[in-house]
């Protein structure tokens, strides 16, 4: 019992056969092969799976694939413009905002949404915004630094 | 210092793929025709498995096979091995129970696998697993570490009386008792070092692919050391010959110890792939990670410190019960013994030390090394005990430490607990920490907090650890069943660029960058012309992997040794090209030169000559002489076996603010000074320390692996119950370094991966107890949750 879902992912129209229970993250990773979006938990609490749906950050493990019908989805793979990194990607690189890299796609997608809403977030605002994104490696220190720099670069 | 050499902050080259979503983690690996494994796991902590009916599951959609412990036994698979043996005080060996990869007849913890369903899709495997009917006969379970050794409690293993795996003694009991007899003061603390669950954000995963035409097995798995997985699973469990077994650990999303071990699920995928002739994939769900990743810590300790009238330490006596869980994980016996009691001297001159450790079995998930492994437990015990003693004898916590520090001129220093410290200047690190933390300004900050209705406290800890394990021969005498060297190969290609193969494994540590910095520095090859290869037994000659903060001091030293061999051979080739004697050739900055002349040749040219040996020493025709003729190629391998551990140390200062009405504790400031010897890439070192400190703050304030004592259910089995440190729970970490080079390895480096986790918990707890000192609170268990802090305040000073 599958149905067809059609949506735009990273600017390309795609459609796929999915089960009613298929999650958006499964559609992205397992059907479309976009493995940059990660799964770190089964209770929607780690944020490794954050993507943008219609311009807003969203945990792709909290949405059914069928709910994404007609949506415009951007994943970590869709951020860079050719070889030119998105300013937030660049900021994570320059500020050592990642170690193992597993939380990183979700962190970056989440951070971009923050920077769109708040062009110059304070340390406290960044830390509160990241409440839904876990990182076990960095202790957040350099992630906070990266996001501050990235937000400034995005809004420069 | 060049911009990309040793000591330079070089941005990480591995970042590009991670920030672009192009990492290659195990769950990203897919093999044509693969099927998926889903495990049926015991809901009981202790039960006999009376029967398993797989009929309905086997008939379900997409199911390829349902396998149980009986199939494991029928196929003659071995159990999971233990890599370290410990001998009890009475001379008897530890109890080493069998650990089959799927339970047979009895289950001993919640989450233990009783069957595996293999199906065409993940969902089909998961659905069918619901149809496996297991008939259990539940048995009473023992969960509590404390109660496990009491009379009449349930027994996990028949031959482990009172659930004791071993009862180990270490140090000089008589000398320690004498020290206590002449003490003018004795301080005693009772401590719990709670169970932690490692929680690398990438769940464990494996994909196995068996080629029946060649007999070759390939396993992709989330491992910190693929060669060790190959050896242990191949030889002990699968009988898969090592030369026909390739293990690949590509990008791994954090390890923290939990990804060292050769897990049952990896073996099961291999076995099923071989049996079924199709690739088999498994990825843990987070709830599975909570139940089945090896846990950490779980000690109960009584510690006593004997002091003289001047606050000098005379003796230390420690008695610990260490929970092993239901089975012995690969390095579990090592953690509460040689990685624990050998650290009891700390940074201090305590002359007499004795430790007793009872390792116990309980019906819980097996416990093994978790970031720090034994050393956080030792440091928490010692640094809490010293603070308690300082309070009791009325000496300032800074002063009591200074009075007992090993003096900088006393190195090398033989501690009474086996270790020979090579170098250190403990007072200097403490001075720097006090300065950077503005320790002197604390009183003003305390008053400001007080004015806002908050209690402010300050706590210090001066941790030490032993990293870079270890001389293999000594480890062997102490019970190790493996070597502890590391290997490296440096291969020049004909065009002059370099491929370096290392047996270490990076899962966040940035080896691709820092190892290339080392090679660029040593061989004068441009940094961008050097590639580091790790994590594939099919490409890397041999390896022990990354654990115990050893990659740079052991793996990096192997790389230095290989580079020395490259230079040695390069000199011979250069001597021929330059028509000079080998003894007259000097190497520096990538060039071989004839001493005292301007004749030189670059190492890239030497490499080209080595692979296109047209201009090469001719054979003489004399077979004896030609035996030593110069071989083509510029490709050298080295193994480095450490001469000793190395001993990073530090001084940590934590300031907390407690809300007395709610018990909520905020870490207001955290200062970490570490001495990790020479530094290759300061940015990476600081990142390791910041991350480690936050993991330690997590232990101090938030994290707790809690079981229901009756049923043995893991109550903190998800991110809703197991409170991981989040960005808004922690402050920025002020970290800085002092540099005392380690004399025992060619780079002068020490480990830096675990210091933060080791040093921070006692600093945080000491700070909270300082904050609550006005109430007379003397003790607080980790994690210092709001409820515990609030209760401590209420109990110390009941409402008027
Ligand atoms: S996978 Fe953890 S929040 Fe989505
Ligand atoms: S970088 Fe490893 S989890 Fe964040």
């Amino acid at each position: 019992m599958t149905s067809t879902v059609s949506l735009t992912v990273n600017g390309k129209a795609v459609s796929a056969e999915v089960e009613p229970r298929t999650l958006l993250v499964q559609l992205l990773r397992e059907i479309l092969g976009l493995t940059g979006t990660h799964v770190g938990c089964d209770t929607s609490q780690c944020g490794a799976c954050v993507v943008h749906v219609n311009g807003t950050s969203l945990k792709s493990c909290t949405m059914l694939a069928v709910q994404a019908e007609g949506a415009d989805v951007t994943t970590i793979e869709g951020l860079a413009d050719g070889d030119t990194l998105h300013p937030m990607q660049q900021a994570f690189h320059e500020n050592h905002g990642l170690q193992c890299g597993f939380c990183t796609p979700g962190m970056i997608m989440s951070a971009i949404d923050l920077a769109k809403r708040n062009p110059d977030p304070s340390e406290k605002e960044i830390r509160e915004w990241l409440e839904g994104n876990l990182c076990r490696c960095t202790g957040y220190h350099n992630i906070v630094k990266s996001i501050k720099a990235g937000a400034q670069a995005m809004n420069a | 210092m060049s911009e990309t050499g040793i000591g330079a902050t070089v941005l990480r080259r591995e970042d590009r793929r991670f920030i672009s979503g192009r990492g290659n983690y195990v769950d990203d690996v897919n093999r044509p025709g693969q099927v998926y494994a889903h495990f049926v796991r015991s809901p009981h902590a202790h039960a006999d498995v009376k029967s398993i009916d797989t009929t309905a599951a086997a008939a379900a959609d997409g199911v390829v096979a349902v396998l149980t412990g009986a199939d494991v036994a029928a196929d003659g698979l071995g159990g999971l091995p233990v890599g370290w043996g410990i001998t009890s005080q009475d001379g008897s060996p530890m109890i080493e129970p069998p650990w089959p990869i799927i339970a047979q007849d009895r289950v001993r913890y919640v989450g233990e696998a009783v069957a595996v369903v293999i199906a065409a899709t993940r969902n089909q495997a998961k659905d069918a697993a619901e149809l496996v009917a297991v008939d259990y006969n539940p048995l009473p379970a023992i969960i509590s570490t404390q109660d496990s050794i009491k009379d009449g409690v349930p027994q996990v293993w028949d031959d482990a009386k009172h659930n004791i795996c071993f009862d180990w003694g270490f140090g000089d009991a008589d000398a320690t008792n004498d020290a206590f007899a002449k003490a003018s003061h004795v301080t005693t603390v009772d401590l719990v070092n709670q169970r932690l669950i490692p929680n690398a954000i990438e769940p464990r995963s494996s994909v196995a692919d068996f080629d029946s035409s060649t007999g070759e097995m390939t396993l992709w798995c989330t491992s910190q050391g693929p060669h060790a997985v190959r050896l242990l699973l191949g030889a002990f469990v699968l009988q898969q010959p090592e030369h026909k077994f390739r293990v690949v650990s590509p990008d791994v999303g954090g390890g923290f110890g939990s990804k060292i071990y050769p897990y049952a699920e990896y073996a099961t995928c291999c076995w099923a792939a071989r049996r079924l002739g199709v690739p088999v994939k498994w990825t843990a769900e987070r709830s599975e990670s909570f139940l089945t990743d090896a846990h950490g810590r779980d000690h109960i300790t009584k510690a006593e410190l004997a002091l003289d009238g001047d606050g000098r330490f005379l003796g230390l006596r420690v008695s610990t019960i260490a929970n092993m869980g239901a089975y012995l994980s690969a390095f579990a016996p090592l953690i509460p013994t040689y990685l624990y009691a050998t650290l009891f001297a700390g940074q201090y001159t305590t002359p007499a030390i004795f430790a007793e450790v009872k390792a116990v079995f309980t019906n819980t998930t097996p416990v093994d090394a978790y970031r720090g492994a034994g050393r956080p437990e030792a440091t928490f015990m010692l640094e809490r005990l010293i603070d308690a003693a300082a309070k009791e004898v009325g000496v300032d916590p800074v002063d009591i430490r200074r009075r007992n520090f090993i003096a900088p001129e006393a190195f090398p220093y033989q501690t009474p607990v086996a270790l020979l410290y090579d170098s250190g200047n403990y007072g200097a690190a403490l001075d720097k920490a006090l300065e950077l933390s503005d320790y002197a300004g604390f009183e003003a900050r305390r008053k400001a907090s007080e004015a806002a209705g908050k209690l402010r406290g300050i706590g210090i800890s001066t941790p030490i650890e032993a990293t870079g394990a270890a001389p293999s021969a000594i480890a062997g005498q102490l019970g190790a069943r493996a070597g502890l060297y590391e290997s490296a190969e440096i291969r020049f290609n004909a065009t002059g660029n370099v491929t370096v193969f290392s047996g270490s494994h990076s899962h966040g540590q940035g080896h691709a960058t820092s190892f290339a910095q080392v090679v660029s520095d040593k061989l004068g090859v441009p940094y961008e012309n050097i590639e580091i290869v790790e994590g594939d037994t099919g490409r890397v000659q041999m390896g022990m992997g990354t654990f115990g903060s050893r990659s740079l001091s052991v793996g990096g030293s192997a790389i230095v040794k290989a580079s020395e061999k490259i230079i040695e051979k390069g000199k011979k080739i250069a001597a021929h090209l330059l028509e000079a004697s080998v003894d007259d050739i000097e190497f520096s900055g990538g060039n071989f030169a004839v001493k005292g002349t301007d004749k030189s040749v670059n190492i890239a040219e030497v490499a080209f000559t080595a692979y296109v040996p047209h201009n090469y020493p001719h054979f003489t025709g004399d077979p004896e002489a030609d035996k030593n003729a110069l071989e083509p190629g510029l490709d050298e391998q080295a193994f480095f076996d450490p001469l000793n551990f190395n001993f990073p140390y530090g001084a940590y200062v934590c300031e907390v603010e407690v809300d007395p009405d709610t018990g909520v504790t905020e870490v207001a400031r955290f200062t970490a000074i570490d001495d990790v010897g020479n530094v290759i890439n300061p940015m990476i070192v600081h990142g390791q320390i910041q991350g480690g400190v936050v993991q330690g703050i997590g232990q101090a304030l938030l994290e707790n692996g809690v079981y229901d004592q009756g049923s043995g259910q893991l109550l903190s089995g998800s991110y809703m119950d197991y409170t991981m440190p989040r960005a808004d729970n922690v402050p920025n970490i002020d970290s800085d370094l002092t540099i005392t080079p380690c004399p025992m390895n060619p780079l002068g480096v020490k480990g830096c991966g675990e210091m933060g986790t080791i040093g921070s918990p006692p600093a945080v707890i000491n700070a909270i107890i300082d904050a609550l000192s006005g109430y007379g609170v003397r003790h607080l268990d980790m994690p210092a949750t709001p409820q515990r802090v609030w209760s401590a305040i209420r109990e110390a000073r009941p409402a008027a």
Side-chain angles (χ1 to χ4, degrees):
Chain A
M1 198 192 43
T2 60
S3 55
T4 306
V5 56
S6 301
L7 63 162
T8 307
V9 178
N10 298 332
K12 276 206 323 226
V14 294
S15 54
E17 286 296 304
V18 297
E19 288 184 65
R21 62 179 163 179
T22 304
L23 302 169
L24 175 58
V25 67
Q26 292 173 311
L27 167 65
L28 294 170
R29 285 186 57 80
E30 294 171 23
I31 301 178
L32 301 176
L34 293 167
T35 55
T37 301
H38 295 152
V39 176
C41 73
D42 46 13
T43 51
S44 290
Q45 277 164 321
C46 73
C49 62
V50 173
V51 299
H52 291 177
V53 176
N54 299 327
T56 303
S57 62
L58 180 133
K59 290 177 173 174
S60 59
C61 73
T62 61
M63 189 180 203
L64 295 168
V66 290
Q67 291 176 292
E69 175 67 38
D72 184 7
V73 174
T74 307
T75 70
I76 189 76
E77 289 95 338
L79 281 185
D81 179 6
D83 277 349
T84 310
L85 292 172
H86 185 283
M88 192 61 79
Q89 291 174 304
Q90 187 63 27
F92 269 71
H93 173 55
E94 285 171 7
N95 294 282
H96 190 31
L98 61 150
Q99 291 182 21
C100 79
F102 197 78
C103 71
T104 311
M107 287 284 178
I108 291 176
M109 298 312 285
S110 195
I112 291 171
D113 195 11
L114 169 65
K116 280 194 210 152
R117 295 164 197 243
N118 182 348
D120 188 19
S122 68
E123 183 203 329
K124 189 168 188 293
E125 287 167 335
I126 296 170
R127 287 184 179 278
E128 281 169 1
W129 178 264
L130 288 184
E131 215 264 342
N133 290 77
L134 285 174
C135 174
R136 194 54 150 172
C137 299
T138 62
Y140 304 103
H141 181 113
N142 285 338
I143 291 181
V144 173
K145 216 167 122 189
S146 303
I147 295 177
K148 191 140 182 72
Q152 279 163 3
M154 271 171 68
N155 294 291
Chain B
M1 179 172 78
S2 82
E3 271 174 30
T4 51
I6 289 175
T9 283
V10 179
L11 296 181
R12 299 194 328 166
R13 47 167 57 164
E14 47 271 84
D15 287 356
R16 180 80 192 204
R17 67 179 185 275
F18 296 134
I19 57 183
S20 312
R22 299 227 163 71
N24 183 35
Y25 300 90
V26 176
D27 191 57
D28 304 339
V29 173
N30 293 299
R31 304 295 295 166
Q34 75 191 7
V35 295
Y36 296 84
H38 188 88
F39 289 86
V40 180
R41 297 187 179 279
S42 169
H44 299 290
H46 200 189
D48 283 322
V49 180
K50 293 196 332 210
S51 66
I52 302 180
D53 184 349
T54 61
T55 330
D61 272 356
V63 170
V64 180
V66 184
L67 302 171
T68 67
D71 299 307
V72 170
D75 281 7
L77 298 189
L80 296 169
V82 183
W84 201 290
I86 293 292
T87 305
S88 287
Q89 298 191 61
D90 65 5
S92 59
M94 67 182 190
I95 305 295
E96 210 172 322
W99 191 5
I101 61 170
I102 298 179
Q104 293 158 5
D105 307 328
R106 184 171 284 192
V107 287
R108 291 181 174 83
Y109 65 96
V110 170
E112 188 170 359
V114 290
V116 61
V117 177
I118 294 161
T121 71
R122 273 189 228 255
N123 281 342
Q124 285 170 333
K126 211 171 158 179
D127 288 345
E130 297 287 321
L131 303 175
V132 175
V134 187
D135 189 6
Y136 294 100
N137 177 29
L139 301 166
I142 176 72
I143 305 301
S144 153
T145 310
Q146 183 87 68
D147 295 344
S148 59
I149 55 174
K150 290 184 178 159
D151 285 333
V153 302
Q155 299 289 289
V156 183
W157 295 99
D158 291 343
D159 50 354
K161 299 284 172 249
H162 291 98
N163 290 312
I164 292 175
C165 171
F166 58 77
D167 182 351
W168 181 76
F170 189 63
D172 189 332
D174 292 339
T176 306
N177 291 339
D178 289 350
F180 277 84
K182 62 176 198 246
S184 65
H185 183 81
V186 173
T187 294
T188 304
V189 293
D190 289 289
L191 302 169
V192 176
N193 204 295
Q194 82 271 30
R195 181 179 285 245
L196 299 179
I197 304 177
N199 274 303
I201 305 299
E202 178 205 26
R204 288 190 296 114
S205 179
S206 57
V207 186
D209 196 347
F210 182 71
D211 183 338
S212 60
S213 68
T214 60
E216 278 174 30
M217 176 82 73
T218 306
L219 169 69
W220 289 261
C221 68
T222 43
S223 167
Q224 301 177 211
H227 290 85
V229 170
R230 178 180 66 164
L231 173 68
L232 295 172
L233 289 187
F236 293 92
V237 183
L238 298 163
Q239 291 93 43
Q240 177 69 29
E242 211 173 345
H243 67 302
K244 288 183 180 288
F245 193 5
R246 175 178 172 203
V247 180
V248 186
S249 298
D251 290 326
V252 171
F256 315 110
S258 70
K259 290 176 182 163
I260 296 173
Y261 320 111
Y263 282 97
E265 295 87 355
Y266 307 165
T268 304
C269 285
C270 292
W271 168 55
R274 197 166 63 187
R275 222 179 121 114
L276 304 171
V278 284
V280 178
K281 179 169 183 171
W282 165 81
T283 300
E285 301 188 334
R286 179 58 55 183
S287 345
E288 249 181 322
S289 311
F290 271 102
L291 292 174
T292 64
D293 289 3
H295 292 177
R297 319 276 191 262
D298 205 340
H299 284 196
I300 287 179
T301 293
K302 180 191 193 67
E304 303 163 279
L305 185 66
L307 300 99
D308 72 9
D310 296 324
R312 290 210 163 69
F313 308 155
L314 300 175
L316 173 67
R317 201 157 49 196
V318 179
S319 162
T320 292
I321 306 175
N323 196 338
M324 302 278 99
Y327 296 86
L328 275 185
S329 177
F331 294 101
L334 167 66
I335 313 309
T337 53
Y338 293 108
L339 289 185
Y340 174 57
T342 52
L343 266 296
F344 283 3
Q347 300 187 1
Y348 316 104
T349 55
T350 318
I353 297 175
F354 185 66
E356 271 184 303
V357 177
K358 285 186 179 61
V360 298
F361 293 111
T362 60
N363 294 110
T364 61
T365 297
V367 175
D368 206 325
Y370 165 60
R371 200 172 193 177
R375 294 153 291 174
E377 296 91 316
T379 304
F380 185 71
M381 176 280 293
L382 194 57
E383 295 297 310
R384 278 292 305 121
L385 183 60
I386 289 171
D387 253 45
K391 203 142 275 177
E392 287 176 13
V393 300
V395 182
D396 179 81
V398 172
D399 288 346
I400 201 167
R401 286 175 169 83
R402 284 200 202 279
R403 274 180 215 184
N404 289 282
F405 275 161
I406 297 161
E409 54 280 4
F411 295 92
Y413 180 84
Q414 177 64 56
T415 73
V417 275
L419 297 180
L420 181 69
Y421 294 170
D422 55 34
S423 60
N425 187 343
Y426 304 143
L430 181 54
D431 289 343
K432 196 163 183 174
L434 297 179
E435 194 196 313
L436 187 63
S437 65
D438 185 26
Y439 194 78
F442 171 71
E443 194 45 37
R445 293 190 294 277
R446 195 190 63 74
K447 288 218 176 83
S449 295
E450 194 174 53
K454 299 279 177 65
L455 303 166
R456 199 174 185 100
I458 193 162
I460 59 173
S461 82
T462 45
I464 190 168
E465 65 160 329
T467 59
S472 294
I474 292 179
Q477 287 165 20
L478 299 179
R481 295 168 179 172
L484 287 161
Y485 50 81
E486 193 47 272
S487 105
E489 179 180 335
I490 298 183
R491 181 185 301 163
F492 272 77
N493 301 309
T495 49
N497 50 36
V498 178
T499 311
V500 179
F501 302 87
S502 166
S504 296
H505 187 275
S506 185
H507 29 280
Q509 296 89 338
H511 297 173
T513 300
S514 51
F515 285 5
Q517 289 179 253
V518 170
V519 174
S520 173
D521 205 279
K522 295 291 170 195
L523 294 177
V525 175
Y527 166 80
E528 54 279 4
N529 290 356
I530 301 161
E531 192 67 23
I532 308 293
V533 176
E534 296 184 335
D536 183 348
T537 66
R539 297 186 70 192
V540 178
Q541 59 292 338
M542 186 38 88
M544 292 307 301
T546 286
F547 54 89
S549 305
R550 71 201 304 276
S551 301
L552 191 58
S553 68
V554 189
S557 295
I559 289 175
V560 172
K561 256 184 95 175
S563 70
E564 286 163 358
K565 291 187 183 178
I566 291 279
I567 293 168
E568 204 179 312
K569 177 152 186 196
K571 278 184 177 173
K572 293 181 190 160
I573 301 169
H576 175 77
L577 291 175
L578 298 169
E579 297 173 332
S581 144
V582 173
D583 298 336
D584 289 335
I585 304 290
E586 294 174 320
F587 179 76
S588 96
N591 292 312
F592 295 92
V594 183
K595 265 182 222 164
T597 73
D598 59 358
K599 285 184 5 181
S600 76
V601 57
N602 185 264
I603 195 165
E605 266 176 271
V606 167
F608 182 79
T609 307
Y611 289 102
V612 188
H614 296 164
N615 182 6
Y616 228 57
H618 285 292
F619 291 104
T620 63
D622 169 3
E624 265 318 294
D626 286 343
K627 264 191 198 161
N628 298 321
L630 196 56
E631 291 173 25
L634 193 58
D635 183 355
E636 297 288 342
Q637 201 181 104
F639 283 72
F640 181 81
D641 201 273
L643 303 165
N644 191 356
F645 285 92
N646 53 72
F647 303 97
Y649 58 87
Y652 287 15
V653 182
C654 175
E655 249 175 82
V656 297
E657 213 176 45
V658 178
D659 181 340
D661 296 328
T662 61
V664 169
T665 300
E666 189 193 331
V667 176
R669 297 158 68 101
F670 199 102
T671 308
I673 302 298
D674 290 276
D675 195 313
V676 296
N678 290 335
V679 170
I680 306 300
N681 185 328
M683 176 191 80
I684 291 177
V685 167
H686 285 289
Q688 286 290 315
I689 289 165
Q690 290 154 2
V693 166
V694 166
Q695 255 173 311
I697 293 175
Q699 168 160 31
L701 294 183
L702 299 160
E703 298 177 41
N704 201 1
V706 183
Y707 282 94
D708 178 67
Q709 293 297 316
S711 69
Q713 298 298 326
L714 181 62
L715 299 178
S716 52
S718 82
Y719 287 148
M720 291 185 285
D721 313 292
Y722 189 89
T723 38
M724 295 276 281
R726 292 176 183 270
D728 57 351
N729 298 131
V730 293
N732 278 329
I733 308 300
D734 292 323
S735 61
D736 206 345
L737 306 169
T738 60
I739 295 180
T740 310
C742 172
M744 306 305 277
N745 62 65
L747 290 165
V749 297
K750 314 173 201 174
C752 74
E754 296 162 295
M755 273 304 289
T757 320
I758 291 168
S760 56
V764 176
I765 298 297
N766 286 341
I768 301 175
I769 288 177
D770 182 53
L772 304 186
S773 59
Y775 294 94
V777 171
R778 289 291 165 93
H779 176 78
L780 204 56
D781 280 327
M782 298 189 291
T785 55
Q787 185 242 335
R788 279 186 177 164
V789 171
W790 185 84
S791 303
I793 293 171
R794 298 276 296 194
E795 279 157 26
R797 183 191 280 179

